[in-house]
Amino acid sequence: MKVLVVGQGGREHALVWKLAQSPKVEKVFCAPGNAGTAIEGENVDISATDAKSLVKFAQREGIGLTVIGPEAPLVEGVVDAFLKAGLKVFGPVKAAAALEGSKVFSKEVMRQAGVPTADCRVFNDAELAIAHLKEQAELRGVVPCVVKADGLAAGKGVTVCANQDEAIAAVREAMIERRFGDAGAQIMIEEKLEGQELSVLALVDGRTIVTLEPAQDHKAAHDGDTGPNTGGMGAYCPTPTATPELMDTIIDRVLIPVVHTLRKRGIEFKGVLYAGLMLTQQGPKVLEFNVRFGDPEAQPVLMRLKNDLLDVLLATAEGRLKQLGDLEWDPRPTVCVVMASEGYPGDYEKGRPLRGLEKAAELENVKVFHAGTTIRDGQVVNDGGRVLGVTAIGDDLAAAKKRAYEAVKCIRWDGAWCRKDISDKARLS
């Protein structure tokens, strides 16, 4: 079977890499892909959101399954275009993808489903939002909060604010300066939840829910969870915080109610339902929903998956997850360290040549997943903020972390940097 993966990040490289291992896969294409996907498969110069061209390509090449990686094409309805053309596709339809595409819609679904989440207020007017913040400061003093742009902002539309001044600045940035474009036309001001974060990804085929091994992402840019929010600076899998009892609670109180509530609204969810959770003293609460494999969570999770990924994705797309049986996992843990461009998550320069990729690839139990890379004049150069996801597997978490950072030390480009503490949170659990 020929398979098409849509997207160009680290998650898509991991998907291409894993799918290419299937004996049932004849060839994997990636649109538009990156320098890494070009090694595992064949890149196709089509934008991830160009539904018409993607459908035409799939029809022309006889693609048996298309896997939509990033959120933007899902939110724009690329899956709907494939289904309309009678093509097999993995990912939720546009109506279901609104769970990630609109934080306000997601909150409405959570409230209807009775899912535990943070209290919030929604604003369409910057002055009203600022007035609310000033009023709250007078009534309650210094209260941390979170300002969220309603729409997609590449993982950067969430600002954790320690006080009123920071919150007002975040409102102005989103609504007046339009740093996130139209995504910030509507915002939520949400209470700040305290605790450890947990990422739970589940395959959903409309009715059956199968959870993947839980991972923990590191959203803040710098060590010790300091600095601005990013798309994710690393992840490890599994995380000791996700006990079997906690996973049962999350399935019963979060995943099942949301899938059922969407069905009540006439929306069938098929694909990956990703719950970003905060483990508070009152129990797990949902920070956000995503509707695709996480990035960088996909890298360490897929490295541990022993099943044929094609079988898993087809069973989900065809509504027969129940027949698949239990997923099999390598018992060894994995750690993914994101190497980023100088300036990220702000502005950064592109086109800087990468060195040492071959040396890192020679290390045992290591896979370097490309994210923001491209090939220019025969050289691999940085082409994005998050450039690589250096992922390693080890007999224990310490060994996996050590090996991942050994590989990181092999790779250089001007301005390259990363967090040094990925997976250290496991010791705090």
Side-chain angles (χ1 to χ4, degrees):
M1 178 185 291
K2 292 181 183 178
V3 179
L4 170 64
V5 173
V6 174
Q8 65 190 82
R11 163 189 47 236
E12 287 73 45
H13 187 188
L15 287 166
V16 170
W17 169 76
K18 196 71 176 179
L19 285 163
Q21 295 171 18
S22 170
K24 300 168 187 173
V25 172
E26 174 190 343
K27 190 170 187 178
V28 184
F29 296 94
C30 192
N34 58 41
T37 58
I39 297 169
E40 326 282 353
E42 182 179 324
N43 287 352
V44 183
D45 188 18
I46 303 174
S47 165
T49 54
D50 186 350
K52 191 174 181 181
S53 296
L54 289 169
V55 166
K56 281 184 178 178
F57 176 82
Q59 290 170 329
R60 185 172 69 249
E61 287 291 336
I63 300 294
L65 177 68
T66 297
V67 182
I68 311 295
E71 59 273 24
L74 294 170
V75 169
E76 291 190 26
V78 170
V79 167
D80 306 63
F82 271 77
L83 292 173
K84 187 178 179 182
L87 296 169
K88 202 160 289 182
V89 60
F90 177 90
V93 294
K94 182 176 182 176
L99 266 184
E100 180 168 0
S102 168
K103 291 180 175 62
V104 173
F105 173 78
S106 180
K107 208 67 137 177
E108 290 171 357
V109 170
M110 282 189 263
R111 283 175 176 157
Q112 187 180 343
V115 168
T117 186
D119 291 333
C120 76
R121 289 279 301 274
V122 177
F123 295 93
N124 295 297
D125 182 279
E127 295 309 316
L128 290 177
I130 291 168
H132 166 75
L133 288 168
K134 290 179 177 177
E135 181 185 334
Q136 289 298 302
E138 288 179 12
L139 291 172
R140 302 165 64 195
V142 177
V143 180
C145 68
V146 182
V147 177
K148 295 182 176 182
D150 176 53
L152 296 180
K156 301 170 197 167
V158 176
T159 308
V160 180
C161 308
N163 52 49
Q164 171 196 329
D165 290 343
E166 288 184 9
I168 289 173
V171 169
R172 286 184 171 138
E173 190 175 56
M175 303 194 81
I176 298 172
E177 297 168 18
R178 290 298 178 95
R179 179 186 171 193
F180 313 114
D182 291 342
Q186 183 170 243
I187 64 162
M188 286 197 314
I189 298 177
E190 195 174 74
E191 68 167 323
K192 182 177 181 289
L193 298 178
E194 300 289 346
Q196 280 220 57
E197 286 193 43
L198 175 67
S199 302
V200 175
L201 286 73
L203 297 163
V204 183
D205 70 355
R207 297 185 178 275
T208 302
I209 298 172
V210 176
T211 54
L212 304 178
E213 286 284 89
Q216 189 170 47
D217 188 12
H218 297 63
K219 283 288 186 190
H222 305 303
D223 290 4
D225 284 343
T226 58
N229 255 28
T230 70
M233 294 304 300
Y236 68 99
C237 174
T239 169
T241 56
T243 62
E245 295 77 20
L246 178 61
M247 290 297 289
D248 287 343
T249 298
I250 291 166
I251 292 167
D252 292 341
R253 297 188 60 197
V254 176
L255 301 177
I256 291 174
V258 164
V259 172
H260 283 176
T261 299
L262 287 174
R263 193 182 301 131
K264 285 179 187 174
R265 289 174 170 237
I267 302 168
E268 183 177 63
F269 192 102
K270 282 187 176 182
V272 174
L273 180 58
Y274 167 138
L277 301 136
M278 185 70 80
L279 305 182
T280 73
Q281 291 184 340
Q282 295 78 40
K285 293 188 177 184
V286 176
L287 295 168
E288 63 178 0
F289 281 112
N290 295 331
V291 295
R292 33 72 188 183
F293 285 101
D295 188 347
E297 294 94 335
Q299 291 89 307
V301 169
L302 290 176
M303 184 176 261
R304 292 188 58 224
L305 180 67
K306 295 177 77 172
N307 299 71
D308 186 322
L309 184 60
L310 179 67
D311 290 343
V312 174
L313 300 184
L314 277 174
T316 306
E318 294 172 355
R320 48 179 183 83
L321 264 179
K322 192 174 282 188
Q323 301 167 23
L324 189 65
D326 293 336
L327 296 178
E328 295 181 39
W329 300 94
D330 191 315
R332 296 174 297 169
T334 46
V335 173
C336 173
V337 178
V338 169
M339 297 184 71
S341 296
E342 182 179 21
Y344 178 80
D347 296 332
Y348 50 85
E349 285 188 21
K350 297 180 180 181
R352 295 178 173 181
L354 276 61
R355 306 180 297 276
L357 290 171
E358 297 83 1
K359 187 177 177 183
E362 290 172 0
L363 293 177
E364 191 177 1
N365 295 325
V366 167
K367 178 64 183 178
V368 178
F369 293 109
H370 290 237
T373 66
T374 190
I375 298 172
R376 188 174 299 165
D377 298 326
Q379 280 190 309
V380 176
V381 299
N382 74 318
D383 194 48
R386 294 187 299 161
V387 180
L388 302 172
V390 182
T391 309
I393 192 164
D395 291 335
D396 56 31
L397 201 57
K401 178 189 174 184
K402 183 182 178 184
R403 182 47 59 99
Y405 280 104
E406 282 176 9
V408 165
K409 287 177 183 176
C410 295
I411 304 166
R412 289 288 179 268
W413 71 89
D414 292 345
W417 67 277
C418 67
R419 279 183 60 159
K420 306 295 192 298
D421 62 346
I422 303 302
S423 81
D424 288 357
K425 293 180 183 181
R427 297 203 301 265
L428 306 174
S429 304

